[in-house]
Amino acid sequence: MSALESSTLRRPELAAEGRRKIAWAEAHMPVLGRIREQFRAERPLAGETVAICLHLEAKTANLALAVQDAGARVVITGSNPLSTQDDVAAGLASLGVEVHSWHGCTPEEYRGFLDRVLDAGPTLLIDDGGDLVARLHTERRDRLGGVRGGCEETTTGILRLRAMDREGRLRFPMVGVNDARMKYLMDNQHGTGQSVWDGIMRTTNLLVAGKTVVVVGYGWCGRGVARRAQGLGARVVAVEVDPFAANVALLDGCQVMSGEEAAAVGDIFITTTGNRAVLTRRHFERMKDGAVLANAGHFDVEIDLPALAELAVETYEARAHVRAYRLADGRRLYLLAEGRLVNLAAADGHPAEIMDLTFALQALALRWVREEAERLGPHLVDVPREIDEQVARLRLAALGAGLDELTPAQRAYLSSWSHE
Ligand code: ADE
């Protein structure tokens, strides 16, 4: 049976359009392209079955194809019910990767797709947010024994893995790709910075200049979102629980306030905390008429959706991906993309040049964990510095950007204490 026949797709007839999107992204992903060439020649994953659970869009398709070119059988599902692009899913299946996913799946269908991927008997994993790993360690323990190791994409997934490792529950090594410098400095900051505004602007078609943007959570993602907001002419308010991050926000030119104070002044609210219920009833009650609410965190728990629904006397679709909640006093709050990650549920995710770096790390980390699994043991581990640096150097080479070198005298100076 071909991959297309064994896949679960909603719109198989869109395969040609999906392949065009995949080709466009590929043309802007030179670092992954170099690794893929090497994989094609060396086949380092021959004999492996790789289960992937990632936001299924065009850049992700290129990672799946690189893993396939490394000799593996690849089975993929989406990591969020709203981020799968049906045309890309069909295009990828037509290129030999087994796909189980569609846009807008129900929670039951979502879990069913995770199970289809696990049914393939994976030996290696790539996860985003930790759902695949969590399911393997709970409902699908029948497939646990076959897995040598895997890689995790995001902050949320790493938090879950850290808890599993701490409690001694993790059964194989997982590489925390998010914590590599070529990930969080690029993807979290610049990727999220651009793609979140892409999602908000596409969805609302409203002006950002002159507005007050409240960024809840001033980690790397929040910083990126705040800086792009400033570039668009907004005033930015940062809401933080960490005193160090709050100080960074102040020096970045943001105002720093409590959530409740910020609720009263914000026009656009963006949550980037990775935590639950960071905007809730006590915030909604203070918000201005017309406030826009968007989430950029992995799960749809940052904006307290049950509390918002409870407060509303009426809800209606104001535009595609925009749900209006009318409160008893007539104020309307506008929720984007059902409170799911706005950059993926209502746009195309991070730019291709950014995902090039993240997915280059994923490809190299997957090869590494396969080779080193026994030595690493069942723990959350960092991407080795050499892989991080290799991706950094490949990116510079792809751009033709030169790097300076230390002279022997400088090297000696840096390692001496006497300074003679
Ligand atoms: N595209 C694929 N995976 C993504 C992610 N984790 N964030 C943004 N864009 C993506």
Side-chain angles (χ1 to χ4, degrees):
M1 203 167 29
S2 73
L4 199 52
E5 285 160 345
S6 48
S7 291
T8 321
L9 302 166
R10 177 144 278 167
R11 305 285 305 275
E13 73 280 9
L14 298 182
E17 176 55 18
R19 284 195 301 271
R20 278 201 323 156
K21 284 188 176 178
I22 294 169
W24 171 262
E26 182 185 4
H28 297 88
M29 300 178 79
V31 178
L32 184 65
R34 283 289 304 279
I35 293 166
R36 192 169 164 189
E37 270 168 31
Q38 205 186 348
F39 277 8
R40 220 176 268 139
E42 297 172 7
R43 311 281 281 178
L45 301 178
E48 304 290 343
T49 297
V50 180
I52 302 182
C53 175
L54 286 171
H55 299 295
L56 214 179
E57 47 89 359
K59 284 89 73 182
T60 311
N62 280 290
L63 172 63
L65 292 168
V67 174
Q68 180 171 263
D69 281 351
R73 174 186 175 204
V74 182
V75 187
I76 188 167
T77 186
S79 57
N80 184 289
L82 291 188
S83 61
T84 294
Q85 299 191 5
D86 288 325
D87 50 1
V88 172
L92 186 58
S94 76
L95 295 169
V97 172
E98 194 178 314
V99 180
H100 300 286
S101 188
W102 56 58
H103 182 88
C105 58
T106 63
E108 295 70 43
E109 286 167 342
Y110 179 78
R111 286 191 288 274
F113 293 149
L114 289 174
D115 282 342
R116 294 297 304 274
V117 160
L118 294 175
D119 288 343
T123 55
L124 293 168
L125 310 173
I126 302 180
D127 206 358
D128 182 339
D131 284 346
L132 201 55
V133 169
R135 199 152 179 83
L136 259 175
H137 285 77
T138 51
E139 285 88 348
R140 292 303 308 269
R141 294 185 69 84
D142 60 307
R143 292 295 181 193
L144 201 48
V147 180
R148 284 174 69 74
C151 302
E152 166 57 50
E153 168 97 354
T154 199
T155 318
T156 294
I158 287 186
L159 285 172
R160 296 174 83 184
L161 288 170
R162 196 166 287 140
M164 290 178 82
D165 193 2
R166 204 172 43 236
E167 292 171 19
R169 298 281 301 276
L170 194 57
R171 285 284 160 267
F172 45 77
M174 285 293 292
V175 188
V177 169
N178 183 72
D179 292 350
R181 279 180 296 181
M182 287 302 285
K183 166 61 164 79
Y184 68 83
L185 292 177
M186 313 293 158
D187 175 312
N188 299 28
Q189 187 172 208
H190 295 281
T192 311
Q194 178 165 323
S195 64
V196 162
W197 286 107
D198 180 11
I200 294 174
M201 292 193 289
R202 268 195 219 191
T203 316
T204 63
N205 190 222
L206 294 175
L207 187 66
V208 181
K211 297 236 164 78
T212 297
V213 169
V214 177
V215 178
V216 188
Y218 208 75
W220 289 108
C221 293
R223 281 169 216 191
V225 169
R227 287 181 60 185
R228 293 296 175 268
Q230 289 166 333
L232 289 163
R235 285 177 296 277
V236 180
V237 172
V239 175
E240 250 303 334
V241 291
D242 177 291
F244 300 106
N247 272 281
V248 173
L250 282 174
L251 296 197
D252 284 349
C254 303
Q255 281 183 280
V256 171
M257 296 180 194
S258 72
E260 281 166 36
E261 286 170 311
V265 298
D267 299 302
I268 302 175
F269 294 80
I270 302 157
T271 54
T272 63
T273 67
N275 210 335
R276 60 183 295 282
V278 295
L279 287 180
T280 187
R281 189 182 180 107
R282 67 180 195 282
H283 304 108
F284 305 142
E285 280 169 344
R286 288 174 169 75
M287 286 180 187
K288 295 194 261 186
D289 180 31
V292 169
L293 313 180
N295 168 48
H298 185 79
F299 285 115
D300 60 347
V301 296
E302 304 213 8
I303 302 172
D304 187 346
L305 303 175
L308 187 57
E310 209 177 280
L311 211 55
V313 292
E314 183 199 7
T315 85
Y316 57 94
E317 191 177 34
R319 258 174 80 92
H321 299 300
V322 183
R323 178 147 292 274
Y325 288 78
R326 195 168 62 77
L327 310 187
D329 61 6
R331 280 178 301 138
R332 286 146 308 171
L333 305 182
Y334 296 117
L335 176 72
L336 307 191
E338 300 177 20
R340 296 194 185 273
L341 336 92
V342 69
N343 55 345
L344 280 146
D348 292 316
H350 295 347
E353 297 93 327
I354 291 286
M355 294 315 295
D356 187 25
L357 306 174
T358 301
F359 287 159
L361 288 166
Q362 286 281 14
L364 295 175
L366 191 69
R367 181 177 65 180
W368 178 73
V369 78
R370 177 204 193 231
E371 287 160 4
E372 301 291 331
E374 264 93 65
R375 183 178 65 78
L376 295 171
H379 299 293
L380 173 62
V381 295
D382 287 335
V383 173
R385 187 190 160 88
E386 304 79 67
I387 289 184
D388 212 358
E389 196 171 312
Q390 185 184 352
V391 171
R393 287 183 189 279
L394 283 171
R395 169 76 170 148
L396 293 176
L399 292 175
L403 201 59
D404 224 358
E405 262 184 54
L406 293 174
T407 64
Q410 285 174 323
R411 214 178 279 284
Y413 180 84
L414 290 179
S415 57
S416 84
W417 61 271
S418 59
H419 284 183
E420 275 163 9

